[in-house]
Amino acid sequence: MKTLQILFAISMVAWFLSEILYKNILKSNDKDKKGKDKSTLNLLWIAIPFSIASSVTISYLTKFPITDEVWIYYLGVFFLYIGIILRFIIIRSLGKYFTVDVTIRENHQIKKEGFYKYLRHPSYAFSLLTSLGLGLYLNNWLSLVLAFVPTFIAFSYRITIEERVLIEQFGEEYLEYRRKTKKLIPFIY
């Protein structure tokens, strides 16, 4: 169990550091079509730390275990790592077109291969997987809700804003792509 706690601590540090780096390095620049974000980045920077802090706090204050089995901790850590790693891969695959704020870059194109063949927002899906992993690791129903729901609501709002911008920019091409893909969960949602 000690090894699991160390893996959890490392995953939390990696999560924080990666998100801080993304926020500080992957911003839009002066050449981009900006001003479309509608404060979604600020909302995410409120929702995610709130989710983490409140879910961890509640796990210490209450006991509503999801299960008495140890596998839940391993599944939680697994989802944390998979979410962090796959989000990094997605961000790298978008290259110069990835920004933390909703922005259209010069010569922007809709990515339709890789994970984007099945999901319109795989970066958000894997971020949510990380939140789900946190909730599972804490093994508390209230913590699970607090780890996932506020972040899900914030990403849902951001997806709405982002898709409006993409429809405005790409019109029928994006609408056709949207008809063929799901938002966050392949073949389901």
Short mmCIF file of all heavy atoms in Angstrom, two decimals, residues 147-180:
data_model
loop_
_atom_site.label_atom_id
_atom_site.label_comp_id
_atom_site.label_asym_id
_atom_site.label_seq_id
_atom_site.Cartn_x
_atom_site.Cartn_y
_atom_site.Cartn_z
N ALA A 147 -14.80 15.12 -7.22
CA ALA A 147 -13.65 15.08 -8.12
C ALA A 147 -14.09 15.21 -9.57
O ALA A 147 -13.39 15.81 -10.38
CB ALA A 147 -12.86 13.79 -7.92
N PHE A 148 -15.25 14.66 -9.90
CA PHE A 148 -15.64 14.56 -11.29
C PHE A 148 -16.65 15.62 -11.75
O PHE A 148 -16.48 16.24 -12.80
CB PHE A 148 -16.20 13.16 -11.58
CG PHE A 148 -16.43 12.90 -13.03
CD1 PHE A 148 -15.36 12.56 -13.85
CD2 PHE A 148 -17.69 13.02 -13.59
CE1 PHE A 148 -15.56 12.33 -15.21
CE2 PHE A 148 -17.89 12.79 -14.93
CZ PHE A 148 -16.83 12.45 -15.75
N VAL A 149 -17.72 15.82 -11.00
CA VAL A 149 -18.84 16.62 -11.48
C VAL A 149 -18.49 18.09 -11.75
O VAL A 149 -18.80 18.60 -12.84
CB VAL A 149 -20.07 16.48 -10.54
CG1 VAL A 149 -21.16 17.46 -10.91
CG2 VAL A 149 -20.59 15.04 -10.60
N PRO A 150 -17.85 18.83 -10.84
CA PRO A 150 -17.53 20.23 -11.17
C PRO A 150 -16.64 20.37 -12.40
O PRO A 150 -16.85 21.26 -13.24
CB PRO A 150 -16.82 20.75 -9.92
CG PRO A 150 -17.29 19.86 -8.82
CD PRO A 150 -17.48 18.52 -9.46
N THR A 151 -15.68 19.45 -12.54
CA THR A 151 -14.80 19.48 -13.70
C THR A 151 -15.58 19.16 -14.97
O THR A 151 -15.40 19.79 -16.01
CB THR A 151 -13.64 18.50 -13.50
OG1 THR A 151 -12.97 18.81 -12.27
CG2 THR A 151 -12.64 18.56 -14.63
N PHE A 152 -16.46 18.18 -14.90
CA PHE A 152 -17.29 17.82 -16.04
C PHE A 152 -18.16 19.00 -16.48
O PHE A 152 -18.28 19.30 -17.67
CB PHE A 152 -18.17 16.61 -15.72
CG PHE A 152 -19.08 16.23 -16.85
CD1 PHE A 152 -18.60 15.50 -17.93
CD2 PHE A 152 -20.42 16.62 -16.84
CE1 PHE A 152 -19.44 15.16 -18.98
CE2 PHE A 152 -21.25 16.29 -17.89
CZ PHE A 152 -20.78 15.56 -18.97
N ILE A 153 -18.76 19.70 -15.52
CA ILE A 153 -19.60 20.86 -15.84
C ILE A 153 -18.77 21.95 -16.51
O ILE A 153 -19.19 22.54 -17.51
CB ILE A 153 -20.31 21.39 -14.57
CG1 ILE A 153 -21.36 20.38 -14.11
CG2 ILE A 153 -20.93 22.75 -14.81
CD1 ILE A 153 -21.92 20.65 -12.72
N ALA A 154 -17.58 22.21 -15.98
CA ALA A 154 -16.70 23.24 -16.57
C ALA A 154 -16.29 22.86 -18.00
O ALA A 154 -16.32 23.70 -18.90
CB ALA A 154 -15.47 23.45 -15.69
N PHE A 155 -15.92 21.60 -18.21
CA PHE A 155 -15.55 21.17 -19.56
C PHE A 155 -16.75 21.19 -20.50
O PHE A 155 -16.62 21.50 -21.68
CB PHE A 155 -14.90 19.78 -19.55
CG PHE A 155 -13.43 19.81 -19.29
CD1 PHE A 155 -12.89 19.15 -18.20
CD2 PHE A 155 -12.56 20.50 -20.13
CE1 PHE A 155 -11.53 19.16 -17.94
CE2 PHE A 155 -11.19 20.52 -19.89
CZ PHE A 155 -10.67 19.86 -18.79
N SER A 156 -17.93 20.86 -20.01
CA SER A 156 -19.14 20.90 -20.84
C SER A 156 -19.41 22.31 -21.33
O SER A 156 -19.74 22.52 -22.51
CB SER A 156 -20.35 20.36 -20.07
OG SER A 156 -20.18 18.99 -19.81
N TYR A 157 -19.26 23.28 -20.44
CA TYR A 157 -19.42 24.68 -20.84
C TYR A 157 -18.37 25.05 -21.89
O TYR A 157 -18.67 25.65 -22.92
CB TYR A 157 -19.33 25.60 -19.62
CG TYR A 157 -19.30 27.06 -19.96
CD1 TYR A 157 -20.41 27.69 -20.52
CD2 TYR A 157 -18.15 27.82 -19.74
CE1 TYR A 157 -20.38 29.04 -20.86
CE2 TYR A 157 -18.12 29.17 -20.05
CZ TYR A 157 -19.23 29.77 -20.62
OH TYR A 157 -19.19 31.11 -20.95
N ARG A 158 -17.13 24.67 -21.64
CA ARG A 158 -16.05 24.98 -22.58
C ARG A 158 -16.30 24.34 -23.95
O ARG A 158 -16.07 24.97 -24.98
CB ARG A 158 -14.71 24.52 -22.04
CG ARG A 158 -13.56 24.92 -22.94
CD ARG A 158 -12.24 24.46 -22.35
NE ARG A 158 -11.13 24.82 -23.18
CZ ARG A 158 -10.35 25.89 -23.00
NH1 ARG A 158 -10.59 26.72 -22.01
NH2 ARG A 158 -9.34 26.12 -23.80
N ILE A 159 -16.78 23.11 -23.97
CA ILE A 159 -17.07 22.43 -25.23
C ILE A 159 -18.13 23.20 -26.01
O ILE A 159 -18.02 23.38 -27.22
CB ILE A 159 -17.48 20.97 -24.97
CG1 ILE A 159 -16.26 20.15 -24.57
CG2 ILE A 159 -18.17 20.37 -26.20
CD1 ILE A 159 -16.59 18.75 -24.04
N THR A 160 -19.14 23.67 -25.33
CA THR A 160 -20.20 24.45 -25.98
C THR A 160 -19.61 25.69 -26.65
O THR A 160 -19.90 25.97 -27.82
CB THR A 160 -21.28 24.85 -24.96
OG1 THR A 160 -21.84 23.67 -24.39
CG2 THR A 160 -22.38 25.68 -25.60
N ILE A 161 -18.79 26.42 -25.92
CA ILE A 161 -18.16 27.64 -26.46
C ILE A 161 -17.22 27.28 -27.60
O ILE A 161 -17.25 27.91 -28.67
CB ILE A 161 -17.40 28.40 -25.35
CG1 ILE A 161 -18.36 28.83 -24.22
CG2 ILE A 161 -16.63 29.58 -25.92
CD1 ILE A 161 -19.52 29.68 -24.65
N GLU A 162 -16.38 26.28 -27.39
CA GLU A 162 -15.40 25.89 -28.41
C GLU A 162 -16.07 25.43 -29.69
O GLU A 162 -15.64 25.79 -30.80
CB GLU A 162 -14.51 24.78 -27.85
CG GLU A 162 -13.34 24.43 -28.72
CD GLU A 162 -12.38 23.49 -28.02
OE1 GLU A 162 -12.01 23.74 -26.87
OE2 GLU A 162 -12.02 22.48 -28.66
N GLU A 163 -17.14 24.66 -29.57
CA GLU A 163 -17.81 24.18 -30.78
C GLU A 163 -18.50 25.32 -31.53
O GLU A 163 -18.55 25.30 -32.76
CB GLU A 163 -18.75 23.04 -30.44
CG GLU A 163 -17.97 21.80 -30.05
CD GLU A 163 -18.74 20.50 -30.12
OE1 GLU A 163 -19.99 20.53 -30.15
OE2 GLU A 163 -18.08 19.45 -30.16
N ARG A 164 -19.00 26.31 -30.83
CA ARG A 164 -19.55 27.49 -31.53
C ARG A 164 -18.47 28.16 -32.37
O ARG A 164 -18.71 28.55 -33.51
CB ARG A 164 -20.09 28.49 -30.52
CG ARG A 164 -21.49 28.22 -30.09
CD ARG A 164 -22.05 29.38 -29.31
NE ARG A 164 -22.92 28.85 -28.28
CZ ARG A 164 -23.07 29.33 -27.07
NH1 ARG A 164 -22.41 30.39 -26.68
NH2 ARG A 164 -23.89 28.76 -26.22
N VAL A 165 -17.30 28.32 -31.79
CA VAL A 165 -16.18 28.94 -32.49
C VAL A 165 -15.77 28.10 -33.70
O VAL A 165 -15.51 28.64 -34.79
CB VAL A 165 -14.98 29.16 -31.53
CG1 VAL A 165 -13.73 29.61 -32.28
CG2 VAL A 165 -15.35 30.17 -30.45
N LEU A 166 -15.72 26.79 -33.54
CA LEU A 166 -15.32 25.91 -34.64
C LEU A 166 -16.37 25.91 -35.76
O LEU A 166 -16.01 25.89 -36.94
CB LEU A 166 -15.08 24.49 -34.11
CG LEU A 166 -13.82 24.36 -33.25
CD1 LEU A 166 -13.83 23.05 -32.46
CD2 LEU A 166 -12.56 24.49 -34.09
N ILE A 167 -17.63 25.97 -35.41
CA ILE A 167 -18.69 26.05 -36.43
C ILE A 167 -18.58 27.39 -37.16
O ILE A 167 -18.70 27.44 -38.39
CB ILE A 167 -20.09 25.86 -35.81
CG1 ILE A 167 -20.26 24.41 -35.34
CG2 ILE A 167 -21.18 26.24 -36.80
CD1 ILE A 167 -21.46 24.18 -34.44
N GLU A 168 -18.35 28.45 -36.41
CA GLU A 168 -18.18 29.77 -37.00
C GLU A 168 -17.00 29.78 -37.98
O GLU A 168 -17.08 30.36 -39.06
CB GLU A 168 -17.95 30.79 -35.89
CG GLU A 168 -17.78 32.22 -36.32
CD GLU A 168 -17.51 33.11 -35.11
OE1 GLU A 168 -18.36 33.14 -34.20
OE2 GLU A 168 -16.43 33.74 -35.09
N GLN A 169 -15.92 29.13 -37.64
CA GLN A 169 -14.71 29.12 -38.46
C GLN A 169 -14.81 28.15 -39.64
O GLN A 169 -14.43 28.47 -40.75
CB GLN A 169 -13.49 28.75 -37.60
CG GLN A 169 -12.20 28.66 -38.37
CD GLN A 169 -11.69 30.00 -38.85
OE1 GLN A 169 -12.00 31.04 -38.29
NE2 GLN A 169 -10.91 29.99 -39.92
N PHE A 170 -15.33 26.94 -39.39
CA PHE A 170 -15.27 25.88 -40.41
C PHE A 170 -16.61 25.51 -41.01
O PHE A 170 -16.66 24.73 -41.96
CB PHE A 170 -14.60 24.63 -39.82
CG PHE A 170 -13.19 24.85 -39.40
CD1 PHE A 170 -12.86 24.96 -38.05
CD2 PHE A 170 -12.18 24.98 -40.34
CE1 PHE A 170 -11.55 25.17 -37.66
CE2 PHE A 170 -10.87 25.19 -39.96
CZ PHE A 170 -10.55 25.29 -38.61
N GLY A 171 -17.70 25.99 -40.44
CA GLY A 171 -19.03 25.77 -40.99
C GLY A 171 -19.38 24.31 -41.17
O GLY A 171 -19.26 23.50 -40.26
N GLU A 172 -19.82 23.96 -42.38
CA GLU A 172 -20.31 22.62 -42.69
C GLU A 172 -19.26 21.54 -42.47
O GLU A 172 -19.59 20.42 -42.06
CB GLU A 172 -20.83 22.56 -44.13
CG GLU A 172 -21.53 21.26 -44.48
CD GLU A 172 -22.69 20.90 -43.56
OE1 GLU A 172 -23.46 21.80 -43.15
OE2 GLU A 172 -22.83 19.70 -43.23
N GLU A 173 -17.99 21.86 -42.68
CA GLU A 173 -16.94 20.86 -42.46
C GLU A 173 -16.94 20.40 -41.00
O GLU A 173 -16.85 19.21 -40.72
CB GLU A 173 -15.56 21.43 -42.82
CG GLU A 173 -14.44 20.43 -42.62
CD GLU A 173 -13.04 21.02 -42.83
OE1 GLU A 173 -12.91 22.23 -43.08
OE2 GLU A 173 -12.08 20.23 -42.71
N TYR A 174 -17.07 21.35 -40.07
CA TYR A 174 -17.09 20.97 -38.66
C TYR A 174 -18.40 20.28 -38.30
O TYR A 174 -18.42 19.29 -37.55
CB TYR A 174 -16.84 22.15 -37.72
CG TYR A 174 -16.67 21.68 -36.30
CD1 TYR A 174 -15.47 21.11 -35.90
CD2 TYR A 174 -17.72 21.71 -35.39
CE1 TYR A 174 -15.31 20.61 -34.61
CE2 TYR A 174 -17.57 21.22 -34.10
CZ TYR A 174 -16.36 20.68 -33.72
OH TYR A 174 -16.21 20.17 -32.45
N LEU A 175 -19.51 20.75 -38.83
CA LEU A 175 -20.80 20.12 -38.55
C LEU A 175 -20.81 18.67 -39.00
O LEU A 175 -21.33 17.79 -38.31
CB LEU A 175 -21.93 20.91 -39.20
CG LEU A 175 -22.22 22.28 -38.59
CD1 LEU A 175 -23.19 23.06 -39.47
CD2 LEU A 175 -22.76 22.15 -37.18
N GLU A 176 -20.23 18.40 -40.17
CA GLU A 176 -20.14 17.02 -40.68
C GLU A 176 -19.26 16.17 -39.76
O GLU A 176 -19.60 15.04 -39.43
CB GLU A 176 -19.59 17.03 -42.11
CG GLU A 176 -19.46 15.66 -42.72
CD GLU A 176 -20.79 14.92 -42.90
OE1 GLU A 176 -21.85 15.58 -42.98
OE2 GLU A 176 -20.75 13.68 -42.92
N TYR A 177 -18.13 16.73 -39.34
CA TYR A 177 -17.24 16.04 -38.42
C TYR A 177 -17.96 15.75 -37.10
O TYR A 177 -17.86 14.65 -36.54
CB TYR A 177 -15.99 16.89 -38.19
CG TYR A 177 -15.09 16.41 -37.08
CD1 TYR A 177 -14.40 15.20 -37.18
CD2 TYR A 177 -14.94 17.15 -35.91
CE1 TYR A 177 -13.58 14.76 -36.16
CE2 TYR A 177 -14.11 16.73 -34.89
CZ TYR A 177 -13.44 15.53 -35.02
OH TYR A 177 -12.63 15.09 -34.00
N ARG A 178 -18.71 16.72 -36.63
CA ARG A 178 -19.46 16.56 -35.37
C ARG A 178 -20.51 15.45 -35.47
O ARG A 178 -20.74 14.73 -34.51
CB ARG A 178 -20.10 17.90 -35.01
CG ARG A 178 -20.64 17.94 -33.60
CD ARG A 178 -20.94 19.33 -33.16
NE ARG A 178 -22.25 19.73 -33.63
CZ ARG A 178 -22.90 20.79 -33.19
NH1 ARG A 178 -22.34 21.58 -32.28
NH2 ARG A 178 -24.07 21.09 -33.65
N ARG A 179 -21.13 15.31 -36.64
CA ARG A 179 -22.13 14.25 -36.82
C ARG A 179 -21.50 12.86 -36.75
O ARG A 179 -22.15 11.89 -36.38
CB ARG A 179 -22.86 14.44 -38.15
CG ARG A 179 -23.92 15.53 -38.13
CD ARG A 179 -24.77 15.51 -39.39
NE ARG A 179 -24.12 16.10 -40.55
CZ ARG A 179 -24.10 17.40 -40.84
NH1 ARG A 179 -24.67 18.26 -40.03
NH2 ARG A 179 -23.50 17.83 -41.92
N LYS A 180 -20.23 12.75 -37.10
CA LYS A 180 -19.56 11.45 -37.18
C LYS A 180 -18.81 11.07 -35.91
O LYS A 180 -18.30 9.95 -35.81
CB LYS A 180 -18.57 11.44 -38.34
CG LYS A 180 -19.23 11.54 -39.69
CD LYS A 180 -18.19 11.58 -40.78
CE LYS A 180 -18.84 11.67 -42.14
NZ LYS A 180 -17.84 11.71 -43.21
#
